[in-house]
Amino acid sequence: MTLYYTLVFMLLVAEMALFMLLVVPLPFTMRRKLFTFISENPIVAKVQYWLKITFVFILILFIDSVNRVYRVQVELAAATEGNNGQSATAIMGHERLEVQARKFYSQRNMYLCGFTLFLSLILNRTYIMILETLRLEEKIKLYEGSEKNTKQAEKLAQAGDAGEIARLKREIKLRDQDIATLKKQSEGLHREYDELAERYGATQENGKLSKKDK
């Protein structure tokens, strides 16, 4: 097995271990801390970024392995048809065994890359489903009044994106809140200014009327 297929196999084993970690039954508090750590840690965000690039290369390897399997099948069929007039010993000769070996390695690489890509999709979907389940449990506890750790609840509600993305979303949300507060303050100042202008105009009119009466 070449080096890159060995790395693909190691990645497949790591995905299997991570999947077992996700589905293993854990207490709600531990699971919430685990998912909060995954969503906020910048190192996890960088790892996810490089894994996306790695999966692109694995997809290329998968397409190449499928192409190799197809070519070996065509070559094997051509060799069988070409040896129809020869003896069975010639058909099962060294060349045919070599083609069968290449077919086996190509199929192995195809299944290895295919299962790695398929498990990555399952991991992503499982992570999203567990995260949604944790959010629903958090909301139920908040409605029942049994949840006291509001900071962890807010972190869990903001989870779902990794590291820097989640942090930037929180900063954008805070800035939007600041902008909304400033808008409310400016509206209040405009109203007060209008009221003062009306009062000033009313006092000026009263002053003019009093002078005319005199």
Side-chain angles (χ1 to χ4, degrees):
M1 188 182 293
T2 55
L3 178 60
Y4 43 88
Y5 283 115
T6 304
L7 295 176
V8 173
F9 176 73
M10 292 173 62
L11 182 59
L12 178 61
V13 174
E15 286 180 342
M16 294 169 63
L18 183 58
F19 182 76
M20 292 300 297
L21 180 63
L22 289 177
V23 300
V24 71
L26 293 175
F28 176 77
T29 306
M30 292 181 61
R31 191 177 291 274
R32 181 175 62 182
K33 289 181 179 179
L34 175 63
F35 276 76
T36 304
F37 172 79
I38 293 173
S39 63
E40 291 186 346
N41 195 328
I43 298 177
V44 176
K46 292 180 181 179
V47 170
Q48 289 183 349
Y49 173 76
W50 286 107
L51 279 177
K52 290 177 182 179
I53 298 175
T54 304
F55 285 130
V56 172
F57 286 106
I58 294 175
L59 178 61
I60 295 173
L61 289 175
F62 175 72
I63 296 172
D64 179 68
S65 60
V66 172
N67 186 29
R68 287 177 183 272
V69 169
Y70 174 74
R71 284 189 297 175
V72 170
Q73 290 279 12
V74 172
E75 186 177 347
L76 187 60
T80 305
E81 292 175 359
N83 289 323
N84 282 334
Q86 300 179 9
S87 63
T89 307
I91 297 175
M92 296 299 296
H94 177 71
E95 293 181 358
R96 183 180 177 87
L97 291 177
E98 184 181 354
V99 173
Q100 291 282 4
R102 286 196 286 118
K103 177 182 176 182
F104 168 75
Y105 290 127
S106 300
Q107 288 179 342
R108 180 202 63 187
N109 297 334
M110 180 183 68
Y111 292 139
L112 180 63
C113 296
F115 280 126
T116 304
L117 292 172
F118 182 68
L119 188 54
S120 67
L121 298 176
I122 292 178
L123 277 175
N124 185 36
R125 186 58 186 167
T126 305
Y127 172 77
I128 294 173
M129 291 177 64
I130 295 175
L131 187 60
E132 291 296 328
T133 304
L134 289 175
R135 286 174 177 170
L136 290 175
E137 291 182 6
E138 194 75 41
K139 288 181 180 179
I140 291 171
K141 289 188 177 184
L142 289 174
Y143 290 148
E144 293 176 349
S146 59
E147 182 59 44
K148 297 180 181 179
N149 197 348
T150 56
K151 290 185 178 180
Q152 291 293 332
E154 290 176 357
K155 288 181 179 180
L156 182 63
Q158 295 170 354
D161 295 318
E164 294 296 323
I165 299 176
R167 183 182 62 80
L168 291 173
K169 284 188 175 181
R170 289 195 297 270
E171 290 181 359
I172 292 171
K173 187 177 180 180
L174 291 174
R175 290 182 181 178
D176 290 339
Q177 291 176 356
D178 293 337
I179 291 171
T181 304
L182 290 174
K183 285 182 178 179
K184 290 179 180 179
Q185 291 178 354
S186 63
E187 289 175 358
L189 290 174
H190 280 299
R191 284 195 299 269
E192 292 179 0
Y193 176 78
D194 292 337
E195 290 176 359
L196 289 174
E198 289 177 359
R199 290 178 184 176
Y200 178 76
T203 55
Q204 291 293 325
E205 289 179 0
N206 292 332
K208 290 179 180 179
L209 291 174
S210 60
K211 287 181 180 180
K212 287 181 179 180
D213 292 338
K214 290 180 181 180

